[in-house]
């Protein structure tokens, strides 16, 4: 079995009770069957607490009024862990923030940016992320797995990541190239022209295609097109209201952002966007690197999942829109703060976005 991990994987450690926003609150934790069976067999002093804290019918941990896990004590430590040890944790708690995508004999493991510590690591990182592979014993065979499509997707993703990390090109153009490649690959797959995908991947690495994308982007961003820019941004933003809400206070963030950025029309939106770009250049010149890291994260995590549903373009669009929306959240927070923003706030907005969007199967189904 081949495992793939990002090079910062081993740097992660859980800050437990020091965590600024514990993962043991705010969402329903589903318990795997094996752990559930173990919990049902617990004897002794802890049995009563176990049955009060686990909903065996729903297969979840119960929560208090503030949606904190019933095992999370007032010191933000887990009573299950303290009383029965690490091995007692269910699969979700043992794994988090690790996220595993499974492809027959390959396991791609990432660290979810919904964890504040992971978000912090990515927001502080300057050098491009690399992916490491290692082998472990074991093999699996999947029915209905298409290894040829997977290899096309993995090749495409490798080239997309190369483009994305080429910092001699503006981030907007790099993302434009990725979207173009994903779009053209989707057309080929739809027409069952798998063998011509390689040609598409090559085309998006040429100077000619880069110039074409650059011109298209410049045209779209021209002042005359401010109305289109505004409608496009607002339309993407409004999609967030269609998603399942995991935390009540997320709604407040959305409404506040919408009010700040879009309530006063296209002219004001354009003005704020320009001012923010100027501020970013002078005060936070690394923001494009941070957005690049996020785009790498979303693309790496989800793109090859298209092997199961052939929705290649949707996977790339999810990555692009996520990065766009996170930047919109940054922009609105910057305005709200009186035109200031710091790294802690970037981190907070990143992990809160990820918690809402990535930690609901219903939401992922809608956007992927
Ligand atoms: S969110 Fe991350 S750092 Fe915080 S408690 Fe959970 S795993 Fe640990």
């Amino acid at each position: 079995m081949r495992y793939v991990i990002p090079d910062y994987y081993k740097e992660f450690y859980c800050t437990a009770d020091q965590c600024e926003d514990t993962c043991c609150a705010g969402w329903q934790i589903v318990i795997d069957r094996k752990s559930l069976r173990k919990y049902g067999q617990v004897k002794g002093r802890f049995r009563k607490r176990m049955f009060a804290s686990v909903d065996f019918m729903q297969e979840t941990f119960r929560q208090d009024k503030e949606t904190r896990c019933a095992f999370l004590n007032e010191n933000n430590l887990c009573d299950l862990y303290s009383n029965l040890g690490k091995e007692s944790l269910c699969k979700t708690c043992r794994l988090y923030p690790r996220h595993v995508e499974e492809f027959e004999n390959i396991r791609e493991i990432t660290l979810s940016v919904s964890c504040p510590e992971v978000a912090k690591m990515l927001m502080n990182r300057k050098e491009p992320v690399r992916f490491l592979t290692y082998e472990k014993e074991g093999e699996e065979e999947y029915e209905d797995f298409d290894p040829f499509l997977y290899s096309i997707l993995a090749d495409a993703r490798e080239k997309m990541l190369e483009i994305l990390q080429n910092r001699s090109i503006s981030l907007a153009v790099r993302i434009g190239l990725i979207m173009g490649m994903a779009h053209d690959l989707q057309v080929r797959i739809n027409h069952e022209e798998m063998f011509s995908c390689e040609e598409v991947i090559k085309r998006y690495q040429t100077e000619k295609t880069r110039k074409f994308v650059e011109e298209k982007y410049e045209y779209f961003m021209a002042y005359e097109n401010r109305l289109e820019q505004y409608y496009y941004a607002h339309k993407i933003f409004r999609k967030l209201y269609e998603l399942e809400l995991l935390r009540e206070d997320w709604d407040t963030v959305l409404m506040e952002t919408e009010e700040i950025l879009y309530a006063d029309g296209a002219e004001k939106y354009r003005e704020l966007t320009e001012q923010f770009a100027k501020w970013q250049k002078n005060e936070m010149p690394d923001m494009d690197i941070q957005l690049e890291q996020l785009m790498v994260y979303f693309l790496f995590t989800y793109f090859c999942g298209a092997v199961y549903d052939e929705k290649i373009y949707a996977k790339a669009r999810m990555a692009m829109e996520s990065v766009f929306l996170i930047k919109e959240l940054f922009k609105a927070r910057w305005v709200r703060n009186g035109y200031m923003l710091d790294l802690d706030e970037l981190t907070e907005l990143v992990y809160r976005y990820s918690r809402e969007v990535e930690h609901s199967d219903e939401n992922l189904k809608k956007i992927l």
Side-chain angles (χ1 to χ4, degrees), residues 29-90:
I29 299 168
V30 177
I31 308 169
D32 58 286
R33 291 278 162 88
K34 197 172 158 199
S35 303
L36 208 62
R37 264 198 308 279
K38 266 200 312 198
Y39 297 162
Q41 288 158 6
V42 165
K43 305 247 180 319
R45 211 168 40 87
F46 203 69
R47 185 171 172 84
K48 199 169 161 206
R49 173 77 190 277
M50 181 65 86
F51 277 78
S53 307
V54 171
D55 186 333
F56 284 88
M57 294 299 283
Q58 296 293 324
E59 305 183 356
T60 56
F61 293 112
R62 292 188 199 280
Q63 295 179 316
D64 66 11
K65 271 196 256 113
E66 275 120 36
T67 68
R68 289 165 61 87
C69 173
F71 281 122
L72 190 64
N73 64 29
E74 62 279 14
N75 299 319
N76 270 351
L77 289 169
C78 172
D79 282 341
L80 183 63
Y81 185 107
S82 319
N83 283 276
L84 302 181
K86 195 177 172 185
E87 295 312 311
S88 68
L89 296 181
C90 72

Side-chain angles (χ1 to χ4, degrees), residues 330-347:
F330 290 171
K331 200 192 296 174
R333 182 64 68 89
W334 168 78
V335 176
R336 195 195 77 176
N337 287 353
Y339 311 106
M340 268 159 39
L341 198 57
D342 63 27
L343 205 56
D344 288 345
E345 282 177 300
L346 298 192
T347 303

Side-chain angles (χ1 to χ4, degrees), residues 43 50 55 60 85 119 159 167 181 186 212 216 238 252 317 319 342 357 364:
K43 305 247 180 319
M50 181 65 86
D55 186 333
T60 56
K159 292 302 164 200
R167 294 180 185 168
M181 192 197 291
Q186 183 72 68
F212 174 77
K216 278 205 123 187
R238 288 206 62 84
T252 315
R317 192 184 56 203
D342 63 27
V357 173
L364 281 179

Side-chain angles (χ1 to χ4, degrees), residues 237 240-241 245 247-261 325 328-330 332-333 336 348-349 352-353 356:
F237 185 82
L240 290 174
Y241 290 114
L245 189 67
R247 286 194 182 190
E248 289 299 322
D249 57 355
W250 180 243
D251 222 14
T252 315
V253 176
L254 295 186
M255 287 190 286
E256 187 183 82
T257 303
E258 186 170 26
E259 176 70 23
I260 292 173
L261 297 183
L325 288 167
E328 292 291 89
L329 295 171
F330 290 171
R333 182 64 68 89
R336 195 195 77 176
E348 181 217 311
L349 289 166
R352 290 185 69 184
Y353 173 90
E356 289 295 322

Side-chain angles (χ1 to χ4, degrees), residues 20 22 43 49 100 112 146-147 177 224:
E20 65 183 69
T22 173
K43 305 247 180 319
R49 173 77 190 277
V100 187
S112 173
D146 185 343
L177 285 163
E224 303 75 69

Side-chain angles (χ1 to χ4, degrees), residues 295-348:
M295 183 80 188
V296 168
Y297 161 78
F298 286 116
L299 204 61
F300 183 82
T301 306
Y302 297 108
F303 187 75
C304 287
V307 72
Y308 297 114
D309 61 9
E310 298 190 359
K311 290 185 185 169
I312 298 171
Y313 186 69
K315 307 287 182 281
R317 192 184 56 203
M318 181 270 184
M320 180 273 281
E321 290 186 354
S322 290
V323 171
F324 177 80
L325 288 167
I326 288 171
K327 193 172 178 188
E328 292 291 89
L329 295 171
F330 290 171
K331 200 192 296 174
R333 182 64 68 89
W334 168 78
V335 176
R336 195 195 77 176
N337 287 353
Y339 311 106
M340 268 159 39
L341 198 57
D342 63 27
L343 205 56
D344 288 345
E345 282 177 300
L346 298 192
T347 303
E348 181 217 311

Side-chain angles (χ1 to χ4, degrees), residues 241-295:
Y241 290 114
E242 292 162 22
L243 302 181
E244 180 196 12
L245 189 67
L246 298 189
R247 286 194 182 190
E248 289 299 322
D249 57 355
W250 180 243
D251 222 14
T252 315
V253 176
L254 295 186
M255 287 190 286
E256 187 183 82
T257 303
E258 186 170 26
E259 176 70 23
I260 292 173
L261 297 183
Y262 311 114
D264 296 323
E267 197 66 43
K268 183 70 184 167
Y269 176 73
R270 168 90 188 186
E271 196 186 304
L272 283 177
T273 304
E274 279 180 353
Q275 283 172 358
F276 183 62
K278 215 176 278 168
W279 175 87
Q280 181 197 331
K281 201 168 161 211
N282 295 327
E283 307 294 331
M284 234 186 216
D286 286 341
M287 194 187 283
D288 273 0
I289 295 180
Q290 288 151 339
L291 296 171
E292 170 201 302
Q293 310 288 30
L294 288 171
M295 183 80 188

Side-chain angles (χ1 to χ4, degrees), residues 243-244 246 356-357 360-368:
L243 302 181
E244 180 196 12
L246 298 189
E356 289 295 322
V357 173
S360 151
D361 288 342
E362 189 185 315
N363 290 347
L364 281 179
K365 221 180 275 170
K366 275 188 189 154
I367 58 174
L368 281 172

